[in-house]
Amino acid sequence: MSRKADKKSWLITGCSTGFGRVLAEKALARGDRVAVTARRVDAISDLCAQYPDTAICLELDVTNADSVKTALERAFDAFGRIDVLVNNAGFGIQGAVEEVSEEQIEQLFAVNLFGVLTVTRAALPKLRDQGGGHIVNITSVGGRTAAPLISLYSSAKFAVEGLSMGLAMELAPFGIKVTAVEPGAFATNFAKRVEQPANRLPAYDEAHDQINAMLADHVFADPAGCAELILKVVDAEEPPKQIIAGGFAWQVVEQTMQAQSEEMQKWRAVSEAADQQ
Amino acid sequence: MTDKTWFITGCATGFGRALAETALARGDRVAVTDRDGAAVADLAEKYPDTALALGVDVTKHDQIVSGIEAAFDHFGRVDVLVNNAGFAVQAAVEEADMARVRAMLDVNFFGTIDVIRTALPRLRAQGSGHIMNFASVGGRVSGPLMALYCASKFAVEGLSDGLAAEVGAFGIKVTTIEPGAFATRFGTSAIMPESPMEEYEPLRQSMQELIGNLPMGKPEDLAVAMLDLADAQDPPLKFAGGIDAWNMISDNLDSQRKELEDWKAVSTKANSVAAEKV
């Protein structure tokens, strides 16, 4: 199958709703080929009906290695190559570290971190064989800066950031790029269906009230804007390693890094003394 | 202010041991813990009035619960909780043995969470405390063949940042410790891949040269700095252990800020259209 520079082949996880779905729609609308994947294929089959020549719909559960392997094989068979692999599947929990159950933490990491690893590791031999590719990991502004009651979600997203940046250096010799895309607040299902903690504690009521009030007032952006950003990133000659999606999130990250720099300066002498060599 | 009570994990060797010895030497009280309780028994013999040696494997919830209970029962309080236990898998993402990666996450991250979750009700009840989580310069700056280790340490950073904001209201402080290269067992005990892939050999060789040439700090010096942090009225959220770590993190922050600036227009445009409904 011949490939024009402007026609890419994609595989995207978690396409039943949110960024995954909007991104698949945008890429298909511009003529790219997309392996649209989700845990339940009936949630995405309309896209294959609409784009019979360029979309394939595949069942893919990132927590199931067999399902990942099968979907990747079918996608590579159908398109001959995958230019862009998007690890998008994920979910969030709003709760204090003390309030979330062990099972919730386990599940959060199973999807948000280990799922990314499973998909990426399964795709790597083929990406190296084809001599190029772009891995896009959807993290969050919460992968750059943490806030109360999303500490565990942030941990998982921070982990994906650390993974992405080391992976980028490992894969550069093979022509494979890696970008972490960090959306702020968009009107995806994520915004309204964040999981609640298993054990609510009165000690954190005030923190919950504050966050809920903030979310209630927040103007959520159209996820199409984030999908457009991802198209720009994958079309770029030199894509960023990390990119924030959203102006408000951008400000928050800028402020966080400013504060980190200031704190480092303040403690520089102590840091220096810690390592006299 | 001196006379602090500590609970430290992973005290058999390295930072944990150096920190326990330094704190005990100045008269602080320390629950010295390790998965191998026998490996820390000598400290309890040397400091019978101020050291409590406990066997705590941070991957075993019941041992964490009994260890935390024993420390609070014995000392009445814990001022500084140090999550130090950890190790590294050094392998490319593609070649790593996932069972080992999981085992690393179990100690470096899930173990840290479990200790914190177990101690928090008591720390909240006493209305103060300082949680120090060992990450690494690798919790701020990732590297090739260390991406999985860095993922575990980035996770600790995210946890600590969020936790600090969550528990500040209860008088509890959180600091992430980010050591650079130190002469601990860490360097020599990093776990190499079981089935190394030829494709990553050039990278492995250049990384080994790099690590072999790093100047190594003394864990005792970092321990002294951590006593300063424990005594500080307003301790930092993050602390680079060593000037090399400081420089790496600072340089990385600069390049991150440059990239953030370079892509500002694209970032900002992404949310220019409000959704009709959520």
Side-chain angles (χ1 to χ4, degrees), chain B residues 60-101:
Chain B
K60 304 255 173 14
H61 180 67
D62 55 336
Q63 291 188 22
I64 292 171
V65 171
S66 58
I68 292 281
E69 270 176 15
F72 275 91
D73 286 352
H74 188 78
F75 294 129
R77 59 184 293 114
V78 169
D79 301 302
V80 192
L81 176 71
V82 183
N83 287 295
N84 160 67
F87 71 96
V89 166
Q90 189 182 320
V93 171
E94 190 178 354
E95 65 185 354
D97 174 347
M98 280 310 285
R100 287 174 167 181
V101 172

Side-chain angles (χ1 to χ4, degrees), chain B residues 16-93:
Chain B
R17 180 151 200 112
L19 181 59
E21 283 172 348
T22 311
L24 286 165
R26 78 162 188 185
D28 284 4
R29 295 173 299 177
V30 184
V32 190
T33 82
D34 195 85
R35 67 180 162 163
D36 177 9
V40 289
D42 61 311
L43 288 171
E45 277 168 34
K46 190 172 172 193
Y47 297 98
D49 298 333
T50 50
L52 175 69
L54 298 167
V56 176
D57 179 340
V58 299
T59 66
K60 304 255 173 14
H61 180 67
D62 55 336
Q63 291 188 22
I64 292 171
V65 171
S66 58
I68 292 281
E69 270 176 15
F72 275 91
D73 286 352
H74 188 78
F75 294 129
R77 59 184 293 114
V78 169
D79 301 302
V80 192
L81 176 71
V82 183
N83 287 295
N84 160 67
F87 71 96
V89 166
Q90 189 182 320
V93 171

Side-chain angles (χ1 to χ4, degrees), chain B residues 127-208:
Chain B
S128 69
H130 193 167
I131 298 170
M132 295 192 191
N133 294 326
F134 266 87
S136 159
V137 61
R140 301 291 289 286
V141 186
S142 191
L145 306 188
M146 294 298 272
L148 293 160
Y149 171 72
C150 291
S152 78
K153 293 305 194 177
F154 268 65
V156 171
E157 297 272 352
L159 173 73
S160 305
D161 291 1
L163 185 68
E166 251 168 59
V167 299
F170 311 120
I172 302 166
K173 293 159 184 170
V174 183
T175 300
T176 313
I177 310 294
E178 304 159 336
F182 278 81
T184 65
R185 274 214 174 150
F186 180 85
T188 47
S189 66
I191 294 180
M192 306 302 280
E194 208 159 56
S195 332
M197 290 172 60
E198 211 183 299
E199 290 83 350
Y200 294 98
E201 279 312 316
L203 204 50
R204 198 175 340 269
Q205 278 170 19
S206 59
M207 284 300 286
Q208 270 160 0

Side-chain angles (χ1 to χ4, degrees), chain A:
Chain A
M1 209 179 279
S2 72
R3 182 178 67 102
K4 287 182 197 156
D6 57 338
K7 292 273 186 284
K8 293 191 157 61
S9 300
W10 302 63
L11 184 140
I12 309 172
T13 68
C15 291
S16 55
T17 60
F19 295 125
R21 181 164 192 104
V22 182
L23 180 59
E25 286 170 355
K26 291 266 181 201
L28 287 165
R30 77 171 191 178
D32 285 0
R33 293 170 302 179
V34 182
V36 187
T37 79
R39 275 180 299 174
R40 282 182 22 252
V41 84
D42 60 334
I44 48 177
S45 49
D46 60 311
L47 285 173
C48 286
Q50 195 183 343
Y51 297 99
D53 298 331
T54 50
I56 53 167
C57 290
L58 303 170
E59 186 184 301
L60 190 160
D61 176 350
V62 299
T63 64
N64 179 333
D66 289 336
S67 138
V68 169
K69 188 165 170 276
T70 306
L72 278 167
E73 273 169 12
R74 289 183 58 192
F76 276 95
D77 284 351
F79 298 146
R81 59 182 290 122
I82 299 290
D83 300 299
V84 189
L85 172 68
V86 184
N87 287 304
N88 162 68
F91 73 98
I93 295 176
Q94 179 189 317
V97 171
E98 268 187 278
E99 294 182 311
V100 173
S101 70
E102 214 172 302
E103 292 70 30
Q104 286 182 311
I105 298 174
E106 188 64 39
Q107 190 56 25
L108 188 73
F109 275 77
V111 176
N112 293 358
L113 176 63
F114 291 109
V116 172
L117 276 174
T118 303
V119 173
T120 303
R121 283 161 51 94
L124 273 181
K126 297 189 188 220
L127 295 180
R128 280 193 298 98
D129 278 351
Q130 75 187 19
H134 196 160
I135 299 170
V136 176
N137 293 330
I138 309 296
T139 70
S140 162
V141 59
R144 295 289 287 282
T145 180
L149 304 195
I150 60 153
S151 305
L152 292 162
Y153 175 70
S154 271
S155 306
K157 292 305 196 181
F158 268 63
V160 177
E161 297 277 342
L163 175 73
S164 300
M165 286 183 283
L167 192 62
M169 290 183 260
E170 275 172 29
L171 301 180
F174 309 113
I176 301 166
K177 294 163 182 169
V178 184
T179 300
V181 173
E182 305 152 339
F186 285 83
T188 63
N189 265 352
F190 185 88
K192 57 180 176 182
R193 275 202 220 137
V194 169
E195 200 170 310
Q196 291 301 306
N199 320 301
R200 272 291 301 268
L201 296 172
Y204 296 96
D205 279 351
E206 208 182 312
H208 277 284
D209 290 347
Q210 276 173 8
I211 288 196
N212 291 336
M214 193 188 79
L215 289 175
D217 287 345
H218 200 87
V219 179
F220 290 90
D222 189 330
C226 185
E228 295 285 356
L229 173 144
I230 295 169
L231 294 184
K232 279 194 198 105
V233 164
V234 303
D235 290 343
E237 276 296 305
E238 277 185 62
K241 289 186 289 231
Q242 297 170 291
I243 184 166
I244 294 286
F248 180 67
W250 192 96
Q251 298 289 348
V252 170
V253 171
E254 161 64 22
Q255 283 158 16
T256 299
M257 290 203 291
Q258 178 62 35
Q260 287 176 350
S261 292
E262 283 165 14
E263 185 181 77
M264 286 190 77
Q265 289 298 342
K266 193 176 156 197
W267 288 87
R268 189 176 191 278
V270 184
S271 284
E272 197 162 14
D275 178 7
Q276 295 169 0
Q277 292 162 18

Side-chain angles (χ1 to χ4, degrees), chain B residues 204-265:
Chain B
R204 198 175 340 269
Q205 278 170 19
S206 59
M207 284 300 286
Q208 270 160 0
E209 261 170 51
L210 186 80
I211 292 170
N213 291 327
L214 283 178
M216 298 285 172
K218 293 195 291 292
E220 298 74 22
D221 291 336
L222 181 69
V224 171
M226 288 178 69
L227 297 191
D228 289 347
L229 299 181
D231 294 342
Q233 277 296 110
D234 192 12
L237 184 59
K238 295 169 188 289
F239 178 75
I243 196 63
D244 292 341
W246 195 97
N247 285 327
M248 277 180 74
I249 294 168
S250 178
D251 291 350
N252 191 60
L253 266 178
D254 288 346
S255 55
Q256 283 183 312
R257 291 178 80 172
K258 183 178 183 303
E259 188 178 74
L260 191 75
E261 204 57 56
D262 287 348
W263 288 84
K264 183 178 183 180

